[in-house]
Amino acid sequence: MKILVVCGAGASSTFVALKVRKAAAERGVAVEVRAGSADQLEAFGDLDVVLVGAHLAASVDELRARARALGASVAVLPAVSPAALDGDEALDLALDTRAAAL
C-alpha cells in the first residue's frame, strides 16, 4: 500500500511518515510511506491513501477531489502535534481508509 502524508509545507508530514513507517515495520505491514506538501499531491502519482494534517481540514474537499483523480482515498489525521501523534494510530487510519475504499 502506498501512503502519502501531507501538510502545508512538508516538514511535519516527514515526521509523521517516519512514525508510520516505524509502526508498519514493527507490525510487519508492507507499506511505502512518503511525505510532502499538499501542493505536491499530483507529483507523487500512484497512491492508495493520502493522510492529511488536521490543520488542512478546510482544504480536505479539494484534496479529496485531487486524490480521487489519482485513485487514492483521503483521511484526516487527529488534531495533535506531529510529536504527539501515535504512529500505530496513523497507520490504522490509513489501513481502515484503504479497506473502506475497496
Side-chain angles (χ1 to χ4, degrees):
M1 178 170 66
K2 296 179 182 179
I3 302 168
L4 175 65
V5 182
V6 298
C7 65
S12 59
S13 61
T14 299
F15 192 64
V16 173
L18 288 171
K19 287 184 164 202
V20 174
R21 278 188 212 114
K22 181 180 178 198
E26 289 173 354
R27 290 164 53 178
V29 177
V31 296
E32 178 184 320
V33 186
R34 296 179 280 175
S37 72
D39 292 338
Q40 300 172 313
L41 182 63
E42 287 78 10
F44 287 95
D46 185 29
L47 299 168
D48 295 306
V49 175
V50 179
L51 295 178
V52 178
H55 60 288
L56 296 177
S59 303
V60 168
D61 289 339
E62 179 226 343
L63 288 170
R64 191 167 276 128
R66 290 170 55 201
R68 189 177 307 118
L70 299 172
S73 300
V74 172
V76 179
L77 290 162
V80 297
S81 75
L85 184 71
D86 180 82
D88 282 307
E89 182 179 356
L91 177 59
D92 286 340
L93 179 61
L95 293 171
D96 292 347
T97 299
R98 179 67 178 149
L102 296 178

